[in-house]
Amino acid sequence: MSGFVRIFEHIKTLAARVLVTSAALLCAVPAAQAGAPERVVSMNLCTDQLAMMLAAEGQLLSVSRIALDPHVSPMAEAARDYHINSGQAEEIYLMQPDLVLAGDYTPQTTLDMLRGLGIRVEVFGITSSLDGVTTQLAKMGRALHRTSRAKAMIADFEARRAALAADRGKRPSALLYYANGHTSGEGSLAHDILELAGFRNAAQEAGYHFGRKMPLEVLALTDPDLVITSTPYPGGSRAEAVMAHPAVKALKEGRTSTAVTDHDWVCGTPRVLDAAARLAEVRREMTGAQP
Amino acid sequence: MSRVLAPLALLALLLFAGSLLIGPAGLGLAESLRGLMQGGDSPVTLVMREIRLPRALLAVMIGASLGLAGAAMQGYLRNPLAEPGLIGVSGSAALGAVIAIQTGLSASFALGLPLAALAGALLAVLLVMALAGPRGTSLTLILAGIAVSALAAALTSLVLNLSPNPFAASEIVFWMMGSLEDRSMTHVWLALPFMIVGMALLATLGRGLDALTLGEDAAQAMGIHVSRLRLLLVLGTSCVVGAGTAVAGAIGFVGLVVPHILRPLVGAHPSRLLWASALGGAVMVLAADIAARVILPDRDLKLGVLTALVGAPLFLHLILKLRKERF
């Protein structure tokens, strides 16, 4: 029964897509401002989200497969409405895009091939700070010719950020502890989220500035007020087993609160403020402060 | 006999202490010992009891297992090239462990992990022995070992590549090279029962292995049941190698290097070599694990890298020596 419903839903979205496409062809109305790209394909999880947030109706054609994974993609639901690409030059070329959005980790050979075929490619770097989020929004706004929407989003982002920053009180220490014992210090988006939520980054104080590996022993001696681990993937791995090591468990035990990083922490989009807001809630619980 | 055992035991003890005192946290000597002995909730106690102690214990347990298994296999097959890592037993144990982790068996049933690794090891021992035959030459033994190791390594990679977990594929190195980084007391308790059973089985083999040096017929005439001896050897090796590999990955060459170095010191008696090799194996793995921490403190250098750096040249030397003897 549910299978039948799903097939029916699928046919419905297909029909809708055909309608939209044919309507666009018939009227040939530009999706946004004049000269704006009309068939945009995104190949990177983070550009997927920025594009979904900013693109005009019908402007974004395809997002990457990883955008469907709720583990890392906060917009997995929304991503279902688009074609899905696996990041291969061949399939992307066949979509006939007029703009391809890629990330720093997209293979250079793929991008060279697409450029060689005459397709415009915009590469977005890794966001390593909260200020970087506004830069990314502005850049995506320009790429999609949606600058006014981007401006509005940036204004909203800055207002929410200022509100979070204004909420000051006692600053407990926290430490991010990811798979393989990696931590985040200054110069990373996660560090900025932590500070915005009103925590001191204990990794920073222990001298771990970049996304460095912190030995379990050092974590135990640092003894932070809060250890924030990441949500483990299904299937199990030794890399993530370290987050369940008795020494890490002992650090989490007896603490009032626990926290994990989730899909809102992955990309430099306004979603990071949701992560910071949730973390600030944890801090208020820990310190007993009123919001 | 005790001329060899006593210094080895002393060396193992010193290295065990070294393993407890060396680490990235840079704790002082007095502070570390106080943390270890006094207990309580302090972070130093946590480091000593939950991080360094299991690491040192596992190095001893796994080293002793591999040394003992190597000496026993070499005694039974009368072939100095027989070693759990080289003939694919460790690799197959790793395959069993990886399957247990990826299917969720190890999460739903605590003993699932060592049992699956044990099954993998058992299968490999039986396969290699069947392929090489009861009186297999070095060539057939090594060829059978290569085939089994290659298959186990390929299947391990396949399982890890198919995993939904993006970190799993990068752990192929761990399963093939072995490491004691960030292991806990849970792993000690998981491996210990199987290792005790396996070592007890292997320890009973001494007299039989001594008799076997005179040939199978002579051994049978002396009242040794060769088929029973083989069964005990297979079970014992699978237990110790399976349990060790389940928690620390496949560490190669220990069972090859240690008996080879100790054989001239204890004389040509496989029974004496068994316990000496167990101690020697513990010494080698403890030393390798300390070296891994001292050479590259933040990098988790794999133990198998160090043991292979020592073991592979020795392996070549053994092959050359065997060739000279034969021709």
Side-chain angles (χ1 to χ4, degrees), chain B residues 277-295:
Chain B
S277 292
L279 279 174
V283 167
M284 184 171 172
V285 174
L286 277 167
D289 187 42
I290 291 174
R293 273 180 280 177
V294 173
I295 298 170

Side-chain angles (χ1 to χ4, degrees), chain B residues 317-327:
Chain B
H317 165 75
L318 268 176
I319 291 175
L320 286 176
K321 210 174 88 178
L322 280 178
R323 206 175 64 170
K324 264 189 217 137
E325 277 167 12
R326 195 147 305 155
F327 300 107

Side-chain angles (χ1 to χ4, degrees), chain B residues 57-73 83-85 89-90 188 191-200 202-203 233 235-249 251 253-256 258-259 273-286:
Chain B
L57 285 175
L58 281 171
V60 170
M61 287 157 53
I62 291 167
S65 296
L66 292 173
L68 190 62
M73 290 189 98
E83 196 261 337
V89 179
S90 303
V188 173
L192 194 62
F194 293 93
M195 288 194 169
I196 290 175
V197 170
M199 286 189 188
L202 292 175
L233 173 80
L235 288 176
T237 306
S238 307
C239 279
V240 295
V241 175
T245 307
V247 296
I251 302 167
F253 289 106
V254 176
L256 181 87
V258 171
L273 192 58
L274 286 180
W275 290 114
S277 292
L279 279 174
V283 167
M284 184 171 172
V285 174
L286 277 167

Side-chain angles (χ1 to χ4, degrees), chain A residues 217 234-236 238-240 245, chain B residues 25 50 52 102 165 171 182-183:
Chain A
E217 294 187 4
R238 198 184 116 87
E240 291 174 330
H245 191 283
Chain B
E50 295 293 342
R52 291 201 192 164
Q102 295 303 330
N165 192 308
E171 277 158 27
D182 297 342
R183 303 283 84 183

Side-chain angles (χ1 to χ4, degrees), chain B residues 11-325:
Chain B
L11 192 57
L13 211 62
L14 280 175
L15 287 168
F16 184 81
S19 183
L20 281 177
L21 297 175
I22 295 169
L27 299 169
L29 180 69
E31 195 185 359
S32 316
L33 290 179
R34 218 178 307 123
L36 185 64
M37 301 301 173
Q38 278 180 348
D41 285 337
S42 82
V44 178
T45 306
L46 197 64
V47 169
M48 294 307 292
R49 289 197 176 172
E50 295 293 342
I51 301 172
R52 291 201 192 164
L53 186 63
R55 187 167 187 163
L57 285 175
L58 281 171
V60 170
M61 287 157 53
I62 291 167
S65 296
L66 292 173
L68 190 62
M73 290 189 98
Q74 290 171 20
Y76 173 75
L77 293 163
R78 279 154 285 162
N79 188 329
L81 299 182
E83 196 261 337
L86 283 175
I87 63 170
V89 179
S90 303
S92 306
L95 174 62
V98 164
I99 290 174
I101 290 174
Q102 295 303 330
T103 54
L105 177 70
S106 62
S108 56
F109 166 53
L111 287 180
L113 178 69
L115 282 176
L118 196 156
L122 191 63
L123 217 65
V125 184
L126 292 175
L127 201 61
V128 168
M129 284 197 164
L131 285 169
R135 251 167 271 178
T137 63
S138 300
L139 189 68
T140 47
L141 179 75
I142 293 302
L143 283 179
I146 289 173
V148 172
S149 320
L151 188 66
L155 290 177
T156 305
S157 304
L158 178 68
V159 172
L160 290 174
N161 274 309
L162 290 178
S163 165
N165 192 308
F167 293 106
S170 63
E171 277 158 27
I172 294 172
V173 185
F174 163 75
W175 289 107
M176 294 188 183
M177 286 297 186
S179 164
L180 289 173
E181 173 113 331
D182 297 342
R183 303 283 84 183
S184 64
M185 285 312 271
T186 322
H187 297 108
V188 173
W189 297 125
L190 220 51
L192 194 62
F194 293 93
M195 288 194 169
I196 290 175
V197 170
M199 286 189 188
L201 290 178
L202 292 175
T204 61
L205 300 181
R207 204 175 74 85
L209 292 178
D210 280 346
L212 260 184
T213 55
L214 304 171
E216 231 161 88
D217 295 337
Q220 248 150 9
M222 288 165 74
I224 303 295
H225 298 285
V226 178
S227 55
R228 189 169 158 270
L229 185 135
R230 182 168 52 219
L231 182 70
L232 291 177
L233 173 80
V234 168
L235 288 176
T237 306
S238 307
C239 279
V240 295
V241 175
T245 307
V247 296
I251 302 167
F253 289 106
V254 176
L256 181 87
V257 174
V258 171
H260 177 72
I261 293 175
L262 295 176
R263 196 170 284 120
L265 299 177
V266 298
H269 292 279
S271 58
R272 291 188 197 165
L273 192 58
L274 286 180
W275 290 114
S277 292
L279 279 174
V283 167
M284 184 171 172
V285 174
L286 277 167
D289 187 42
I290 291 174
R293 273 180 280 177
V294 173
I295 298 170
L296 287 174
D298 334 336
R299 291 293 183 86
D300 185 21
L301 179 60
K302 302 289 180 269
L303 281 182
V305 174
L306 295 165
T307 54
L309 282 177
V310 179
L314 198 98
F315 185 55
L316 291 175
H317 165 75
L318 268 176
I319 291 175
L320 286 176
K321 210 174 88 178
L322 280 178
R323 206 175 64 170
K324 264 189 217 137
E325 277 167 12

